[in-house]
Amino acid sequence: MNRHIEISNEVYKDGESMGTTKNQIIELLSQTDDYVSGAILSQQFGMSRSAIWKHMNQLKESGYHIESVKHKGYRLLEFPESFSTQEVWSSIKAYGLVQEVVTIKSVDSTNEEAKRMANTGNGHNILILAEEQLAGKGRRGRTWVSEKGAGIYMSFLLHPSFQPIHASKLTLLAGLAVYRGILSVTGLKVAIKWPNDLVYNGKKIGGILTEMSTEMNEIRYVIVGIGINVNGKKMAVDIQSMATSLGLILEKKVNKKLLLSQIVEVFSQLYNAFSLSNSLAFMIEAYNQQCITVGKEIQIISKNESEIGHCIEVGLDGGLKVVIDGEERIIQSGEVSVRGLYGYVD
Ligand code: BTN
Protein backbone atom coordinates (compact mmCIF):
# COMPACT_ATOMS: atom_id res chain seq x y z
CA MET A 1 0.00 0.00 0.00
CA ASN A 2 1.25 3.48 -0.79
CA ARG A 3 1.50 5.83 2.12
CA HIS A 4 3.02 9.15 2.88
CA ILE A 5 4.39 10.21 6.19
CA GLU A 6 5.80 13.42 7.41
CA ILE A 7 8.36 14.43 9.97
CA SER A 8 7.70 18.09 10.44
CA ASN A 9 5.57 20.48 12.37
CA GLU A 10 3.40 21.06 9.35
CA VAL A 11 -0.17 19.90 9.73
CA TYR A 12 -1.00 17.04 7.41
CA LYS A 13 -4.51 17.14 6.06
CA ASP A 14 -5.71 13.93 4.51
CA GLY A 15 -6.93 14.32 0.95
CA GLU A 16 -5.46 17.80 0.57
CA SER A 17 -3.72 18.37 -2.70
CA MET A 18 -2.68 21.31 -4.79
CA GLY A 19 -5.51 21.56 -7.34
CA THR A 20 -4.75 22.00 -11.01
CA THR A 21 -6.26 25.48 -11.11
CA LYS A 22 -3.95 26.67 -8.37
CA ASN A 23 -0.99 25.15 -10.22
CA GLN A 24 -2.07 26.97 -13.34
CA ILE A 25 -2.49 30.25 -11.46
CA ILE A 26 1.05 29.90 -10.11
CA GLU A 27 2.34 29.02 -13.56
CA LEU A 28 0.74 32.16 -14.96
CA LEU A 29 1.91 34.47 -12.16
CA SER A 30 5.45 33.12 -12.33
CA GLN A 31 5.78 34.14 -15.97
CA THR A 32 5.87 37.82 -15.10
CA ASP A 33 7.33 40.09 -12.43
CA ASP A 34 4.34 42.35 -12.91
CA TYR A 35 0.82 42.27 -11.49
CA VAL A 36 -1.83 40.16 -13.17
CA SER A 37 -5.28 41.64 -12.74
CA GLY A 38 -8.16 39.77 -11.16
CA ALA A 39 -10.16 40.44 -14.35
CA ILE A 40 -7.60 38.67 -16.53
CA LEU A 41 -7.35 35.75 -14.12
CA SER A 42 -11.08 35.33 -13.86
CA GLN A 43 -11.41 35.44 -17.65
CA GLN A 44 -8.51 33.01 -18.13
CA PHE A 45 -9.83 30.47 -15.65
CA GLY A 46 -13.54 31.02 -16.30
CA MET A 47 -14.38 31.78 -12.69
CA SER A 48 -15.55 34.76 -10.66
CA ARG A 49 -13.10 37.23 -9.16
CA SER A 50 -14.11 36.14 -5.69
CA ALA A 51 -13.25 32.52 -6.61
CA ILE A 52 -9.82 33.73 -7.77
CA TRP A 53 -9.43 35.63 -4.50
CA LYS A 54 -10.19 32.43 -2.55
CA HIS A 55 -7.60 30.49 -4.55
CA MET A 56 -5.05 33.23 -3.84
CA ASN A 57 -5.74 33.01 -0.12
CA GLN A 58 -5.27 29.26 -0.17
CA LEU A 59 -2.03 29.65 -2.11
CA LYS A 60 -0.81 32.16 0.48
CA GLU A 61 -1.67 29.66 3.20
CA SER A 62 0.45 27.04 1.42
CA GLY A 63 3.46 29.36 1.57
CA TYR A 64 3.34 31.31 -1.70
CA HIS A 65 4.13 34.98 -1.15
CA ILE A 66 1.54 36.74 -3.28
CA GLU A 67 1.06 40.46 -3.17
CA SER A 68 -2.44 41.74 -3.89
CA VAL A 69 -2.88 45.41 -4.69
CA LYS A 70 -6.20 47.09 -5.38
CA HIS A 71 -6.68 48.05 -9.05
CA LYS A 72 -3.49 46.25 -10.01
CA GLY A 73 -4.03 42.60 -9.21
CA TYR A 74 -1.79 39.84 -7.93
CA ARG A 75 1.98 39.42 -8.07
CA LEU A 76 4.01 36.36 -7.13
CA LEU A 77 6.94 37.36 -4.92
CA GLU A 78 8.26 34.03 -3.59
CA PHE A 79 7.66 30.31 -3.96
CA PRO A 80 7.22 28.39 -0.69
CA GLU A 81 10.47 27.50 1.03
CA SER A 82 9.20 24.17 2.21
CA PHE A 83 7.63 21.19 0.52
CA SER A 84 4.30 19.85 1.71
CA THR A 85 4.37 16.07 1.89
CA GLN A 86 0.92 15.75 0.46
CA GLU A 87 1.64 18.10 -2.44
CA VAL A 88 4.81 16.27 -3.32
CA TRP A 89 3.06 12.92 -3.05
CA SER A 90 0.24 14.09 -5.33
CA SER A 91 2.69 15.33 -7.92
CA ILE A 92 4.90 12.23 -8.06
CA LYS A 93 2.81 9.20 -7.11
CA ALA A 94 1.87 8.49 -10.73
CA TYR A 95 5.52 7.86 -11.62
CA GLY A 96 5.43 4.71 -9.49
CA LEU A 97 9.03 4.75 -8.28
CA VAL A 98 8.52 5.54 -4.60
CA GLN A 99 5.93 4.30 -2.15
CA GLU A 100 6.54 6.96 0.50
CA VAL A 101 7.43 10.62 0.66
CA VAL A 102 9.02 11.99 3.80
CA THR A 103 9.58 15.73 4.24
CA ILE A 104 11.75 17.03 7.05
CA LYS A 105 12.28 20.60 8.20
CA SER A 106 15.84 20.14 9.32
CA VAL A 107 18.12 17.11 9.18
CA ASP A 108 21.82 16.34 9.23
CA SER A 109 21.75 14.86 5.74
CA THR A 110 18.94 13.30 3.73
CA ASN A 111 21.34 10.50 2.75
CA GLU A 112 21.98 9.77 6.44
CA GLU A 113 18.24 9.88 7.16
CA ALA A 114 17.72 7.45 4.27
CA LYS A 115 20.25 5.07 5.84
CA ARG A 116 18.44 5.22 9.19
CA MET A 117 15.14 4.51 7.44
CA ALA A 118 16.66 1.66 5.46
CA ASN A 119 17.87 0.06 8.67
CA THR A 120 14.51 0.28 10.40
CA GLY A 121 12.25 0.22 7.36
CA ASN A 122 10.00 -2.03 5.42
CA GLY A 123 11.82 -2.27 2.10
CA HIS A 124 9.84 0.56 0.52
CA ASN A 125 11.37 2.94 -1.94
CA ILE A 126 11.23 6.31 -0.21
CA LEU A 127 11.83 9.90 -1.29
CA ILE A 128 13.24 12.01 1.54
CA LEU A 129 13.24 15.78 1.25
CA ALA A 130 14.64 18.36 3.63
CA GLU A 131 14.19 22.09 3.91
CA GLU A 132 17.71 22.39 5.27
CA GLN A 133 20.63 20.06 5.98
CA LEU A 134 22.94 20.75 8.88
CA ALA A 135 25.62 18.34 7.67
CA GLY A 136 24.97 17.93 3.95
CA LYS A 137 27.56 15.66 2.38
CA GLY A 138 29.30 15.85 -0.96
CA ARG A 139 31.55 13.31 -2.66
CA ARG A 140 34.99 12.61 -1.34
CA GLY A 141 34.18 13.81 2.18
CA ARG A 142 33.18 17.30 1.17
CA THR A 143 30.40 19.40 2.70
CA TRP A 144 27.28 20.26 0.74
CA VAL A 145 26.12 23.70 1.86
CA SER A 146 22.35 23.42 2.29
CA GLU A 147 20.86 26.79 3.17
CA LYS A 148 17.27 26.64 4.47
CA GLY A 149 14.70 26.71 1.70
CA ALA A 150 17.20 27.73 -0.96
CA GLY A 151 17.66 24.40 -2.65
CA ILE A 152 16.37 20.95 -3.31
CA TYR A 153 17.97 18.45 -0.92
CA MET A 154 16.59 15.02 -1.62
CA SER A 155 17.47 11.36 -1.39
CA PHE A 156 15.91 8.35 -3.02
CA LEU A 157 16.12 5.23 -0.89
CA LEU A 158 15.87 2.38 -3.40
CA HIS A 159 15.92 -1.40 -3.33
CA PRO A 160 16.91 -2.50 -6.80
CA SER A 161 17.29 -6.15 -7.72
CA PHE A 162 20.28 -5.62 -10.01
CA GLN A 163 23.85 -6.49 -9.06
CA PRO A 164 25.91 -4.06 -6.93
CA ILE A 165 28.26 -3.41 -9.85
CA HIS A 166 25.49 -1.38 -11.52
CA ALA A 167 24.74 0.92 -8.58
CA SER A 168 27.16 3.70 -9.52
CA LYS A 169 25.36 4.00 -12.85
CA LEU A 170 22.42 5.48 -10.95
CA THR A 171 24.55 8.62 -10.54
CA LEU A 172 24.54 8.98 -14.32
CA LEU A 173 20.77 8.42 -14.47
CA ALA A 174 20.25 11.07 -11.82
CA GLY A 175 22.57 13.49 -13.65
CA LEU A 176 20.56 13.18 -16.83
CA ALA A 177 17.29 13.46 -14.88
CA VAL A 178 18.43 16.71 -13.24
CA TYR A 179 19.67 18.05 -16.57
CA ARG A 180 16.32 17.31 -18.24
CA GLY A 181 14.27 18.51 -15.27
CA ILE A 182 16.04 21.88 -15.24
CA LEU A 183 15.68 22.20 -19.00
CA SER A 184 11.96 21.52 -18.97
CA VAL A 185 11.15 23.84 -16.07
CA THR A 186 13.49 26.74 -16.84
CA GLY A 187 14.66 26.31 -20.43
CA LEU A 188 18.22 26.45 -19.12
CA LYS A 189 20.77 24.01 -20.54
CA VAL A 190 23.16 23.10 -17.76
CA ALA A 191 25.91 20.57 -18.34
CA ILE A 192 26.81 17.33 -16.65
CA LYS A 193 30.36 17.01 -15.44
CA TRP A 194 31.08 13.31 -15.12
CA PRO A 195 30.23 11.62 -12.92
CA ASN A 196 28.13 13.64 -10.51
CA ASP A 197 28.14 17.39 -11.04
CA LEU A 198 25.74 19.75 -12.73
CA VAL A 199 27.44 22.93 -13.85
CA TYR A 200 26.71 26.13 -15.67
CA ASN A 201 29.37 28.42 -17.11
CA GLY A 202 32.05 26.76 -15.05
CA LYS A 203 30.10 26.97 -11.77
CA LYS A 204 28.44 24.17 -9.90
CA ILE A 205 24.67 24.24 -9.45
CA GLY A 206 24.07 20.66 -8.36
CA GLY A 207 25.62 17.40 -7.29
CA ILE A 208 24.76 13.76 -6.77
CA LEU A 209 25.96 11.43 -4.06
CA THR A 210 25.14 7.73 -4.49
CA GLU A 211 25.74 5.37 -1.58
CA MET A 212 25.07 1.68 -1.26
CA SER A 213 24.87 -1.12 1.29
CA THR A 214 25.39 -4.70 0.13
CA GLU A 215 25.13 -8.17 1.60
CA MET A 216 26.44 -11.35 -0.01
CA ASN A 217 26.91 -9.54 -3.32
CA GLU A 218 23.34 -8.31 -3.30
CA ILE A 219 22.16 -4.75 -2.88
CA ARG A 220 20.45 -4.13 0.47
CA TYR A 221 19.72 -0.57 -0.56
CA VAL A 222 21.03 2.26 -2.69
CA ILE A 223 20.67 5.93 -1.82
CA VAL A 224 20.77 8.48 -4.59
CA GLY A 225 21.17 11.91 -2.99
CA ILE A 226 20.61 14.99 -5.13
CA GLY A 227 21.39 18.57 -4.16
CA ILE A 228 20.47 21.54 -6.37
CA ASN A 229 21.10 25.21 -5.68
CA VAL A 230 17.73 26.54 -6.77
CA ASN A 231 16.93 29.94 -5.29
CA GLY A 232 20.03 30.73 -3.24
CA LYS A 233 20.54 34.49 -3.43
CA LYS A 234 24.18 34.64 -2.55
CA MET A 235 26.75 31.90 -2.41
CA ALA A 236 28.98 31.64 0.65
CA VAL A 237 32.16 33.64 0.06
CA ASP A 238 34.42 30.59 -0.03
CA ILE A 239 32.39 28.93 -2.81
CA GLN A 240 31.32 32.01 -4.79
CA SER A 241 33.82 31.43 -7.56
CA MET A 242 32.81 27.78 -7.90
CA ALA A 243 29.08 27.66 -7.26
CA THR A 244 25.92 29.42 -8.35
CA SER A 245 22.14 28.89 -8.25
CA LEU A 246 19.45 28.64 -10.91
CA GLY A 247 17.80 31.75 -9.47
CA LEU A 248 21.02 33.74 -9.78
CA ILE A 249 21.55 32.59 -13.36
CA LEU A 250 17.98 33.25 -14.47
CA GLU A 251 17.54 36.32 -12.27
CA LYS A 252 14.16 35.04 -11.10
CA LYS A 253 12.71 32.58 -8.63
CA VAL A 254 12.40 29.01 -9.81
CA ASN A 255 9.43 26.82 -8.88
CA LYS A 256 11.10 24.19 -6.68
CA LYS A 257 8.03 21.99 -6.51
CA LEU A 258 7.67 21.79 -10.27
CA LEU A 259 11.38 21.16 -10.69
CA LEU A 260 11.29 18.40 -8.11
CA SER A 261 8.40 16.61 -9.76
CA GLN A 262 10.01 16.87 -13.21
CA ILE A 263 13.23 15.38 -11.89
CA VAL A 264 11.38 12.56 -10.16
CA GLU A 265 9.43 11.88 -13.36
CA VAL A 266 12.52 11.64 -15.55
CA PHE A 267 14.52 9.72 -12.96
CA SER A 268 11.65 7.21 -12.60
CA GLN A 269 11.54 6.66 -16.36
CA LEU A 270 15.30 6.20 -16.61
CA TYR A 271 15.36 3.94 -13.55
CA ASN A 272 12.61 1.72 -14.97
CA ALA A 273 14.36 1.46 -18.32
CA PHE A 274 17.67 0.68 -16.64
CA SER A 275 16.13 -1.91 -14.32
CA LEU A 276 14.63 -3.74 -17.30
CA SER A 277 17.87 -3.94 -19.27
CA ASN A 278 20.64 -3.49 -16.68
CA SER A 279 22.33 -1.47 -19.37
CA LEU A 280 22.96 2.21 -20.08
CA ALA A 281 22.58 1.62 -23.83
CA PHE A 282 19.21 3.38 -23.98
CA MET A 283 20.64 6.65 -22.65
CA ILE A 284 24.39 6.69 -23.14
CA GLU A 285 24.26 8.79 -26.29
CA ALA A 286 22.04 11.39 -24.61
CA TYR A 287 24.34 11.41 -21.58
CA ASN A 288 27.46 11.90 -23.68
CA GLN A 289 25.81 14.79 -25.54
CA GLN A 290 25.28 16.72 -22.29
CA CYS A 291 28.53 15.73 -20.61
CA ILE A 292 31.11 18.54 -20.72
CA THR A 293 33.92 16.21 -19.70
CA VAL A 294 33.72 14.49 -23.09
CA GLY A 295 36.14 15.81 -25.70
CA LYS A 296 38.15 17.77 -23.11
CA GLU A 297 41.69 17.63 -21.81
CA ILE A 298 41.32 16.59 -18.21
CA GLN A 299 43.39 16.06 -15.12
CA ILE A 300 42.79 12.73 -13.40
CA ILE A 301 43.75 12.86 -9.76
CA SER A 302 44.04 9.70 -7.71
CA LYS A 303 45.59 9.17 -4.28
CA ASN A 304 49.11 8.82 -5.58
CA GLU A 305 49.31 10.70 -8.81
CA SER A 306 47.88 13.23 -11.19
CA GLU A 307 47.76 12.57 -14.92
CA ILE A 308 46.62 14.55 -17.93
CA GLY A 309 44.46 12.81 -20.49
CA HIS A 310 41.98 13.37 -23.28
CA CYS A 311 38.43 12.23 -22.60
CA ILE A 312 36.83 10.33 -25.47
CA GLU A 313 33.46 9.35 -24.03
CA VAL A 314 31.51 7.85 -21.18
CA GLY A 315 31.16 4.16 -21.92
CA LEU A 316 28.38 1.67 -21.34
CA ASP A 317 29.94 0.62 -18.05
CA GLY A 318 29.60 4.23 -16.84
CA GLY A 319 33.36 4.72 -16.87
CA LEU A 320 35.29 7.49 -18.57
CA LYS A 321 37.23 6.43 -21.65
CA VAL A 322 40.42 8.49 -21.75
CA VAL A 323 43.67 8.52 -23.67
CA ILE A 324 46.71 9.03 -21.48
CA ASP A 325 50.15 9.08 -23.14
CA GLY A 326 48.67 7.50 -26.26
CA GLU A 327 47.13 4.65 -24.32
CA GLU A 328 43.38 4.16 -23.91
CA ARG A 329 42.14 3.63 -20.36
CA ILE A 330 38.82 3.41 -18.57
CA ILE A 331 38.52 5.49 -15.41
CA GLN A 332 35.86 4.50 -12.87
CA SER A 333 34.17 7.16 -10.76
CA GLY A 334 35.12 5.81 -7.36
CA GLU A 335 38.82 5.99 -8.11
CA VAL A 336 39.54 9.55 -9.05
CA SER A 337 38.72 13.20 -9.10
CA VAL A 338 38.49 14.65 -12.60
CA ARG A 339 39.18 18.29 -13.36
CA GLY A 340 38.89 20.33 -16.49
CA LEU A 341 42.24 21.94 -17.21
CA TYR A 342 40.93 25.47 -17.59
CA GLY A 343 37.34 25.61 -16.40
CA TYR A 344 35.41 24.45 -13.40
CA VAL A 345 37.45 22.87 -10.62
CA ASP A 346 36.07 19.75 -8.91
C1 BTN B 1 28.73 16.37 -4.64
O1 BTN B 1 28.61 17.28 -5.45
O2 BTN B 1 29.83 16.06 -4.18
C2 BTN B 1 27.50 15.64 -4.21
C3 BTN B 1 26.54 16.51 -3.49
C4 BTN B 1 25.28 15.79 -3.05
C5 BTN B 1 24.42 16.63 -2.15
C6 BTN B 1 23.12 15.96 -1.83
S1 BTN B 1 22.00 17.03 -1.00
C7 BTN B 1 20.96 15.70 -0.65
C8 BTN B 1 21.83 14.53 -0.28
N1 BTN B 1 22.17 14.60 1.13
C9 BTN B 1 23.46 14.81 1.31
O3 BTN B 1 24.00 14.91 2.44
N2 BTN B 1 24.09 14.88 0.16
C10 BTN B 1 23.19 14.73 -0.95
Side-chain angles (χ1 to χ4, degrees):
M1 195 188 78
N2 292 329
R3 69 192 179 102
H4 27 263
I5 55 171
E6 183 168 8
I7 304 170
S8 72
N9 47 22
E10 183 185 332
V11 181
Y12 164 60
K13 294 184 198 131
D14 198 11
E16 180 190 73
S17 73
M18 176 96 156
T20 324
T21 310
K22 287 197 212 44
N23 276 330
Q24 287 169 349
I25 290 176
I26 287 301
E27 196 51 38
L28 202 147
L29 292 185
S30 67
Q31 280 164 21
T32 173
D33 286 336
D34 218 339
Y35 295 90
V36 181
S37 73
I40 286 182
L41 287 162
S42 77
Q43 195 186 25
Q44 178 88 15
F45 295 104
M47 54 178 70
S48 68
R49 288 170 75 155
S50 78
I52 293 287
W53 180 78
K54 274 187 199 146
H55 278 306
M56 290 298 175
N57 282 346
Q58 286 165 6
L59 283 164
K60 286 179 196 172
E61 275 171 29
S62 336
Y64 290 88
H65 295 205
I66 296 169
E67 189 184 31
S68 16
V69 175
K70 228 180 174 176
H71 306 306
K72 281 189 170 174
Y74 302 94
R75 190 158 73 114
L76 177 65
L77 300 176
E78 302 269 353
F79 289 98
E81 281 197 340
S82 57
F83 289 110
S84 131
T85 313
Q86 182 62 26
E87 270 183 29
V88 173
W89 175 248
S90 305
S91 69
I92 69 158
K93 64 181 173 195
Y95 311 140
L97 176 62
V98 300
Q99 289 90 42
E100 287 183 24
V101 170
V102 175
T103 60
I104 309 172
K105 292 267 174 212
S106 182
V107 73
D108 49 356
S109 143
T110 52
N111 273 31
E112 290 305 310
E113 183 63 29
K115 279 181 211 168
R116 291 188 283 270
M117 288 184 171
N119 290 325
T120 54
N122 46 17
H124 280 178
N125 289 343
I126 306 179
L127 174 64
I128 298 142
L129 284 157
E131 209 171 305
E132 73 172 343
Q133 295 185 118
L134 302 174
K137 303 189 304 176
R139 261 178 96 229
R140 305 169 73 76
R142 296 199 183 101
T143 300
W144 182 261
V145 179
S146 311
E147 189 198 338
K148 185 166 180 279
I152 293 179
Y153 317 117
M154 68 197 239
S155 297
F156 290 99
L157 168 62
L158 302 167
H159 299 86
S161 52
F162 50 69
Q163 294 289 299
I165 192 170
H166 295 306
S168 62
K169 293 175 187 144
L170 295 181
T171 303
L172 307 194
L173 269 63
L176 193 57
V178 175
Y179 164 83
R180 287 183 175 164
I182 292 174
L183 182 62
S184 82
V185 173
T186 68
L188 191 72
K189 277 194 165 202
V190 298
I192 305 170
K193 177 177 168 287
W194 182 90
N196 72 308
D197 291 341
L198 281 306
V199 300
Y200 185 79
N201 270 352
K203 290 187 177 183
K204 186 154 169 166
I205 59 109
I208 297 148
L209 178 64
T210 301
E211 300 185 85
M212 165 171 68
S213 165
T214 58
E215 207 168 70
M216 307 279 285
N217 205 32
E218 281 190 5
I219 294 180
R220 275 185 66 226
Y221 62 80
V222 183
I223 294 161
V224 181
I226 301 175
I228 306 168
N229 301 329
V230 183
N231 287 325
K233 290 193 183 98
K234 226 177 148 211
M235 295 292 117
V237 177
D238 51 337
I239 56 167
Q240 252 170 28
S241 62
M242 295 192 306
T244 187
S245 75
L246 295 174
L248 284 173
I249 297 165
L250 296 162
E251 294 181 355
K252 65 172 197 173
K253 289 268 170 195
V254 173
N255 188 342
K256 271 197 323 187
K257 202 191 86 180
L258 191 59
L259 179 56
L260 169 80
S261 86
Q262 291 292 303
I263 292 170
V264 177
E265 177 174 7
V266 183
F267 183 70
S268 306
Q269 289 162 353
L270 297 176
Y271 183 86
N272 286 340
F274 181 76
S275 301
L276 286 175
S277 60
N278 286 353
S279 162
L280 289 175
F282 72 97
M283 58 163 268
I284 201 66
E285 204 181 315
Y287 186 91
N288 271 290
Q289 270 168 17
Q290 313 311 337
C291 179
I292 43 160
T293 320
V294 172
K296 298 260 167 56
E297 300 304 305
I298 53 170
Q299 194 178 3
I300 302 136
I301 304 158
S302 58
K303 260 190 198 143
N304 311 320
E305 57 180 344
S306 160
E307 296 171 292
I308 305 282
H310 178 80
C311 173
I312 302 172
E313 64 175 8
V314 178
L316 276 177
D317 62 351
L320 207 58
K321 204 181 279 180
V322 288
V323 176
I324 301 171
D325 292 335
E327 196 187 307
E328 201 169 291
R329 282 194 5 218
I330 306 288
I331 307 288
Q332 294 299 341
S333 61
E335 301 163 9
V336 292
S337 162
V338 170
R339 294 180 183 181
L341 285 193
Y342 311 107
Y344 163 74
V345 178
D346 181 72

